């Protein structure tokens, strides 16, 4: 009898233990919290592509008098930022390679008020900062760079994190622009330039798209047909595919659940969306946005007011234009291919990769 | 003014399934166990007892117990219920049956002839319906379970669909931001400060605090900001009219400019980039509404807020984003979200007779062909309840509003020719999340009915299905979703609290069931006007964030 009671006691205790075991970590975490803070939200983050560039400029700003002094005296000075990061103030940038401070470069922010030229094989600094122009020789590597003036990247230069030019940023053939690249005036891309996120009032390949107001008054009106369902106001929802014949004008927004094809020279005075392929024909124009759940093909000399958003791939053919200097916009897709002589005003953002095609002239 | 926030209800689906595990499993499991009321001594069911021959060698009560056990064994119901004319039940047995299952004694199979046979037929019919109902409930719960798994696996292994997040440069449209406020003196200042600091073209931004009949210092605070920032805030002080957020927003539409309306509750603190994030999807001509992510600011306050923090993560990071990935039905949640004014007008405008105007709008837009999108990176802090009574009132309110939307839109959704099948299924399941506790309760009643009728559960197959669906998939699917969310957020140590979420789910289930009954009886049967409770605020005026 007593043995039976003992077994029952042991069984009960073991069962209770097994049931309580999963609660032990919970009880400990409740009584001695280790992870209670609210999930972080960067409330001050405004999405500006120049965020890192401007942050570097703000860090360097207190040292500008010392930098001017080094520039005036013509000497290179080692210093450190308040957070302990090493800082090299260059009065004679051209003496840095091979000079006594060269060993500090890999971990330092290198700052100057004069032009800087970075050569291939030179140790990549934590960041380059100059109030003037910056250039990088063929095959050079820049982790991050800020120039108050222009930036010129020769063929095969690789940017690892970000680069910003107060004027124009020019990237020659074969450059790799990882991360963010921005310029206050323009970004000029050569052939075979890989990029992720670009922003400037004008981003162009080659000569850029020819200017011109494509608004045509004598186009025939096109009424979307098929299974059109009025969404509201100027929007139409269409089941299936839609092909707008060349030379027509559409006055409404169009949402197509299949494939949407705009013929050559057509004009949509509104926004368009397709769930399948979206083809914007040669010389066609969309005054509003173009959105696609698949791939978008923008034909030669076509124009989109923007934004231009593809969940899949995007190709901008020669002579195409997105946005305008007065109405900057965003081009975004997983993969982006840009032909020569294309202009994008605003942001060009490839989520996976972007590349410029052909030999730009 | 925090009137209703059904957007935070995704997590509540979880407790439905978990509660199913708790409620649904216990009843079927009990069906095979002896009960005191049978007055069976241990020796009658002791494993060492000799198998008793039917009708002989043991007391009548014990014989009946054995009959009941057999009925629960894997035999088909018809067999168990079939009259056995060639083997009439002894009188003693029948007498015991009337004691054991008194309410259903007349349905017990017995040697019935004449009028008794008719009653037996009715009994079979009732039992048949009960079994069919039980099976239907099982299937519904299994559907919710599979949905949990689908969403969680999608978030863990599939790429995120967020095509609008990259739109950082655009010709931003003119918008109006409504700040819904009812007695919000504790929080309204923080919200206004944050909105005055957002990164959006000033000439295209209209800030409209909708002060809905506040009796505290809300009006004075708003007017103070109006004076400090001339031309930036145009308040709407509402002193009369129908109560409720929907009614207030409906009246506030007269103050709207532009085609895009953004709505915040007064306890929300938007970041600098939030408005652009919420507006960006509206460049897509198919988008009628946008929903951002809500993050509890007071997560560290106590156990309840920590559990709610986990639920919120699951609801947004997994549930909403998975719906977005799968092109299903992300839900507009009434705050930290936006609506295309022309779309809403085309869909009938604000309805002021609903408690969950956000769910109502989501479905009306869906049925009109508009799409609601979710922006996981459009994050905003909010306050969550710090006391259980507040939480129960809040979830009760959500429940009533959501079930009201269920009643209004389910039939239209199913019939709609323009909504794809997958979207219909997801939309129907989303509509039903707050009806689930009532379904579970009904399932419990059916289970008891089947048990007391000695009808079994239509064999081992269904019992096995119940075991798998409730006990394994259901439980783990719900917690899997929370766990996946915490890991995706990068804060997995808080997952140690996960077992406590079971407790929260059960409590919430009871609150939702109570609210559902109240909705059916008080609001619909007695036709009383629905009322809303304002959620208590915990922040002190002027407190640092």
């Amino acid at each position: 009898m007593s043995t039976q009671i003992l077994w029952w006691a042991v069984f009960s205790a073991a069962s209770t233990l097994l049931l309580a075991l999963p609660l032990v970590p919970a009880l400990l975490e409740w009584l001695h919290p280790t992870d209670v803070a609210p999930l972080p939200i960067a409330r001050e983050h405004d999405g500006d592509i120049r965020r890192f560039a401007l942050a570097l400029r703000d860090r360097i700003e207190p040292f500008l008098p010392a930098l001017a002094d080094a520039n005036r005296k013509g000497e290179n000075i080692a210093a450190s930022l308040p957070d302990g990061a090493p800082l090299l103030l260059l009065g004679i940038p051209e003496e840095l390679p091979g000079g006594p401070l060269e060993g500090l470069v890999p971990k330092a922010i290198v700052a100057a008020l004069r032009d800087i030229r970075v050569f291939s094989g030179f140790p990549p600094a934590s960041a380059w900062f100059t109030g003037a122009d910056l250039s990088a020789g063929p095959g050079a590597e820049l982790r991050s760079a800020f120039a108050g003036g222009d930036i010129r990247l020769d063929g095969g230069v690789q940017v690892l994190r970000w680069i910003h030019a107060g004027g124009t940023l020019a990237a020659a053939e074969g450059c790799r622009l990882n991360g963010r690249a921005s310029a206050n005036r323009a970004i000029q891309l050569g052939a075979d330039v890989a990029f992720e996120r670009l922003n400037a009032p004008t981003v162009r390949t080659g000569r850029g798209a020819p200017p011109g107001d494509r608004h045509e008054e004598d186009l025939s009106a096109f009424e979307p047909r098929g299974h059109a369902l009025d969404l509201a106001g100027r929007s139409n929802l269409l089941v299936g595919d839609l092909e707008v014949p060349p030379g027509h004008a559409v006055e409404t927004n169009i949402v197509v659940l299949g494939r949407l094809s705009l013929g050559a020279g057509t004009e949509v005075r509104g926004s368009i969306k397709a769930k399948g392929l979206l083809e914007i024909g040669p010389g066609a124009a969309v005054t509003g946005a173009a959105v696609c759940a698949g791939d978008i093909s923008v034909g030669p000399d076509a124009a989109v007011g923007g934004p231009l958003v593809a969940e899949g791939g995007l190709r901008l053919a020669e002579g195409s234009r997105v946005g305008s200097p007065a109405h900057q916009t965003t081009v975004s897709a997983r993969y982006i291919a840009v032909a020569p002589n294309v202009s994008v005003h605003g942001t060009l953002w490839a989520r996976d990769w972007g590349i410029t095609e052909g030999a730009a002239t | 003014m925090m009137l209703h926030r059904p957007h935070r209800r995704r997590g509540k689906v979880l407790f439905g399934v978990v509660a199913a595990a708790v409620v649904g499993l216990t009843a079927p499991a009990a069906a095979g166990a002896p009960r005191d009321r049978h007055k069976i001594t241990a020796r009658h069911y002791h494993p060492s007892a000799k198998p008793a021959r039917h009708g002989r060698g043991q007391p009548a009560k014990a014989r009946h117990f054995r009959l009941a056990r057999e009925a629960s064994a894997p035999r088909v119901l018809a067999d168990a219920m079939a009259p056995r004319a060639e083997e009439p039940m002894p009188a003693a047995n029948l007498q015991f049956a009337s004691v054991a299952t008194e309410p259903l004694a007349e349905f017990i199979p017995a040697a019935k002839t004449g009028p008794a046979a008719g009653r037996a037929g009715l009994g079979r019919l009732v039992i048949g319906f009960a079994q069919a109902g039980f099976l239907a409930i099982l299937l519904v719960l299994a559907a919710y379970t599979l949905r949990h798994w689908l969403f969680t696996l999608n978030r863990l292994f599939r790429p995120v669909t967020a095509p609008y997040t990259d739109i950082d440069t655009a010709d931003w449209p003119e918008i109006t931001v409504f700040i819904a406020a009812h007695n919000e003196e504790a929080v309204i200042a923080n919200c206004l400060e944050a909105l005055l600091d957002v990164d959006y073209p000033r000439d295209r931004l209209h800030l409209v605090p909708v002060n809905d009949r506040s009796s505290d210092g809300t009006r004075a605070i708003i007017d103070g900001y109006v004076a400090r920032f001339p031309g930036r805030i145009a308040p709407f002080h509402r002193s009369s009219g129908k109560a409720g957020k929907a009614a207030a927003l409906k009246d506030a539409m007269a103050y709207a400019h532009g085609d895009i309306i953004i709505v915040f509750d007064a306890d929300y603190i938007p970041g600098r980039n939030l408005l652009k994030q919420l507006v960006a999807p509206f460049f897509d001509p198919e988008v009628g509404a946008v929903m951002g992510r809500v993050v509890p600011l007071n997560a560290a306050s106590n156990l309840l807020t920590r559990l709610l923090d986990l639920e919120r993560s699951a609801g947004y990071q997994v549930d909403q984003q998975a719906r977005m990935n799968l092109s299903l039905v992300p839900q507009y949640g009434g705050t930290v979200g936006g609506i295309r004014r022309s779309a809403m007008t085309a869909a009938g405008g604000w309805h002021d007779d609903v408690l969950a105007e956000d769910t109502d709008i989501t479905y009306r837009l869906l049925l009109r062909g508009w799409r609601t999108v979710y922006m996981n990176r459009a994050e905003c802090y909010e306050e969550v309840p710090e006391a259980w009574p507040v939480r129960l009132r809040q979830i009760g309110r959500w429940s009533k509003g959501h079930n009201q939307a269920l009643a209004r839109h389910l039939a239209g959704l199913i019939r709609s020719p323009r909504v794809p099948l997958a979207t219909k299924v997801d939309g129907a399941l989303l509509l039903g999340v707050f009806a689930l506790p009532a379904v579970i309760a009904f399932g419990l009643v059916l289970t008891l009915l089947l048990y007391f009728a000695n009808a079994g559960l239509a064999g081992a197959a269904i019992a096995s299905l119940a075991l798998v669906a409730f006990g394994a998939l259901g439980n783990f699917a719900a917690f899997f979703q929370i766990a996946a969310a915490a890991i995706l957020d990068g804060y997995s140590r808080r997952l140690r609290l996960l077992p406590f979420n079971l407790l929260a789910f059960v409590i919430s289930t009871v609150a939702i069931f109570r609210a559902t009954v109240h909705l059916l009886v008080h609001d619909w049967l007695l036709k009383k006007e629905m009322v809303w409770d304002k959620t208590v605020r915990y922040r002190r005026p002027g407190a640092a964030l």
Side-chain angles (χ1 to χ4, degrees), chain B residues 122-473:
Chain B
L122 178 63
R124 279 198 296 277
L125 190 64
V126 171
I127 297 302
F129 275 118
Q131 286 186 312
F134 187 78
L135 182 62
I137 290 171
L138 275 181
L139 292 176
V140 167
L141 294 178
Y144 277 102
T145 299
L146 291 175
R147 192 181 74 140
H148 283 309
W149 279 93
L150 175 66
F151 288 174
T152 308
L153 294 174
N154 175 277
R155 285 298 288 119
L156 289 176
F157 300 112
R158 299 299 299 164
V160 171
T161 299
Y164 316 106
T165 306
D166 300 344
I167 299 176
D168 64 349
T169 307
D171 197 7
W172 299 104
E174 185 178 28
I175 65 171
T176 298
V177 178
F178 286 144
I179 306 118
H182 174 70
N183 292 336
E184 303 283 10
E185 65 179 5
V187 294
I188 185 76
N190 294 137
C191 186
L192 288 173
E193 293 272 4
L195 283 168
L196 287 164
D197 190 42
V198 293
D199 177 33
Y200 201 89
R202 283 193 181 185
D203 59 333
R204 300 181 189 182
L205 173 61
H206 304 272
L207 299 178
V208 181
V210 181
N211 174 27
D212 183 21
R213 300 165 301 119
S214 295
S215 55
D216 63 356
T218 302
R219 179 178 187 133
I221 294 171
I222 292 172
D223 289 344
Y225 276 92
V226 172
R228 279 174 57 196
F229 299 93
R232 306 242 4 233
I233 301 174
F236 168 42
H237 295 295
R238 188 170 182 259
S239 55
S240 61
K242 197 169 183 177
K245 181 177 174 180
L249 291 176
K250 183 179 181 182
D251 291 350
M253 289 304 285
Y255 292 75
H257 300 266
D259 197 33
I260 309 298
I261 307 293
I262 305 291
V263 181
F264 290 103
D265 285 345
D267 60 320
Y268 285 70
I269 306 165
R272 290 204 73 222
N273 196 38
L274 186 59
L275 288 187
K276 284 184 176 177
Q277 286 279 302
L278 291 175
V279 170
F282 287 107
F283 286 109
D284 180 341
E286 190 189 15
V287 171
V290 174
M291 183 61 204
R293 181 178 176 179
V294 170
V295 177
L297 178 64
N298 56 338
S301 295
N302 56 37
L303 179 62
L304 173 60
T305 59
R306 297 179 73 185
L307 297 179
L308 291 176
D309 179 59
L310 285 170
E311 286 185 21
R312 295 282 197 279
S313 286
Y316 287 96
Q317 181 65 274
V318 173
D319 218 282
Q320 287 270 51
Q321 183 61 53
R323 284 206 191 95
M324 181 70 187
N325 294 348
L326 295 165
S327 297
L328 298 175
V329 191
Q331 190 187 359
Y332 167 68
T335 181
V336 195
I339 295 179
R340 192 188 296 272
R341 193 176 168 194
S342 54
M344 188 176 62
T345 303
W350 295 106
H351 286 178
D352 59 9
D353 57 346
V354 296
L355 274 179
E357 86 291 345
D358 39 18
T359 310
D360 183 63
I361 281 286
T362 301
Y363 281 87
R364 282 195 282 129
L365 290 175
L366 176 67
L367 294 174
R368 289 282 300 182
W370 293 93
R371 188 168 178 230
T372 298
V373 301
Y374 171 66
M375 296 284 286
N376 198 44
R377 298 297 300 274
E379 300 162 309
C380 190
Y381 281 129
E382 62 144 1
E383 273 195 357
V384 291
E386 296 183 6
W388 283 101
V390 178
R391 167 64 179 163
L392 296 184
R393 280 200 301 275
Q394 182 189 52
I395 201 168
R397 190 179 66 235
W398 293 351
S399 168
K400 290 176 76 169
H402 207 89
N403 285 334
Q404 191 185 37
L406 168 70
R408 285 189 179 201
H409 298 301
L410 182 61
L413 177 69
I414 292 170
R415 286 198 305 263
S416 173
R418 66 180 68 172
V419 179
L421 179 61
T423 309
K424 279 184 183 179
V425 172
D426 179 57
L429 290 173
L430 177 61
L431 274 176
V433 290
F434 278 90
L436 215 50
V439 170
I440 292 166
F442 186 53
L444 175 60
V445 171
L446 289 180
T447 307
L448 294 173
L449 174 70
L450 292 170
Y451 169 64
F452 282 118
N454 287 341
L457 298 171
I462 288 183
S464 300
L465 179 61
L467 183 67
V468 171
F470 291 178
L473 284 174

Side-chain angles (χ1 to χ4, degrees), chain A residues 12-348:
Chain A
S12 302
S15 301
T16 307
L17 185 66
L18 284 174
L19 285 173
L21 210 53
L23 294 175
V24 172
L27 285 168
L28 289 174
E29 178 62 30
W30 181 20
L31 299 173
H32 304 286
T34 62
D35 187 11
V36 293
L39 294 175
I41 297 176
R43 284 164 57 195
E44 297 306 312
H45 178 43
D46 57 7
D48 191 345
I49 191 173
R50 300 163 183 81
R51 178 180 173 83
F52 298 134
L54 299 179
L56 177 68
R57 188 196 62 187
D58 291 345
R59 292 175 76 192
I60 298 293
E61 204 162 22
F63 293 87
L64 288 180
L67 193 55
D69 196 40
N71 196 44
R72 189 173 60 252
K73 292 177 181 174
E75 59 184 12
N76 296 337
I77 301 171
S80 62
L81 293 163
D83 60 6
L87 174 66
L88 295 183
L89 304 174
L90 301 187
I92 320 172
E94 56 272 17
E95 286 189 0
L96 185 61
L101 299 179
E102 182 182 339
L104 296 176
V105 169
K107 292 182 179 178
I109 294 171
V110 182
L113 290 180
R114 298 167 55 185
D115 293 352
I116 293 180
R117 181 158 178 82
V118 180
F119 295 95
S120 173
F122 195 71
S126 171
W128 294 95
F129 175 93
T130 176
D133 295 343
L134 183 146
S135 62
E141 188 175 284
L142 301 172
R143 189 165 180 269
S144 46
F146 177 104
D150 296 336
I151 294 178
R152 195 185 78 244
L153 307 178
D154 292 346
V157 170
Q158 182 164 209
V159 176
L160 300 180
R161 290 189 63 218
W162 58 263
I163 190 165
H164 174 76
T168 297
L169 166 64
E173 183 174 350
C175 284
R176 296 287 177 267
L177 305 179
N178 299 302
R180 306 171 177 210
S182 57
N184 287 350
R185 198 155 53 232
I187 293 177
Q188 173 78 45
L189 302 175
D192 192 30
V193 173
F195 61 87
E196 290 183 9
R197 186 181 174 188
L198 310 176
N199 178 276
T202 299
V203 179
R204 62 173 170 260
T205 56
R207 297 184 304 274
D213 182 1
R214 293 161 188 272
H215 191 74
E216 301 285 346
E217 297 296 340
D218 55 350
L219 297 174
S220 305
F222 177 79
E223 290 293 328
R225 294 180 184 175
H227 305 285
L229 306 166
D230 181 41
L231 283 174
R234 296 179 62 246
S235 291
N236 278 284
L237 175 69
L238 289 102
V239 178
D241 301 336
L242 176 66
E243 188 169 337
V244 179
H248 281 72
V250 180
E251 294 290 345
T252 64
N253 297 332
I254 305 174
V255 179
V256 178
L257 299 185
R259 168 179 173 165
L260 173 59
S261 177
L262 303 182
T266 59
E267 181 170 316
V268 177
R269 293 157 191 162
S271 296
I272 58 176
K273 179 177 184 180
K275 298 292 179 73
L277 179 67
L278 173 54
E279 292 177 303
I280 300 174
V286 178
T287 60
V291 181
C292 184
D295 298 337
I296 297 180
S297 169
V298 179
D301 300 319
V304 177
L308 179 60
V309 178
E311 291 186 36
L314 165 68
R315 183 174 186 276
L316 297 170
E318 184 163 355
S320 59
R321 173 195 299 277
V322 184
S324 69
H327 300 286
Q328 295 177 31
T329 192
T330 298
V331 175
S332 167
R334 177 160 288 169
Y335 319 107
I336 298 178
V338 186
N341 304 325
V342 168
S343 291
V344 172
H345 300 281
T347 294
L348 182 59

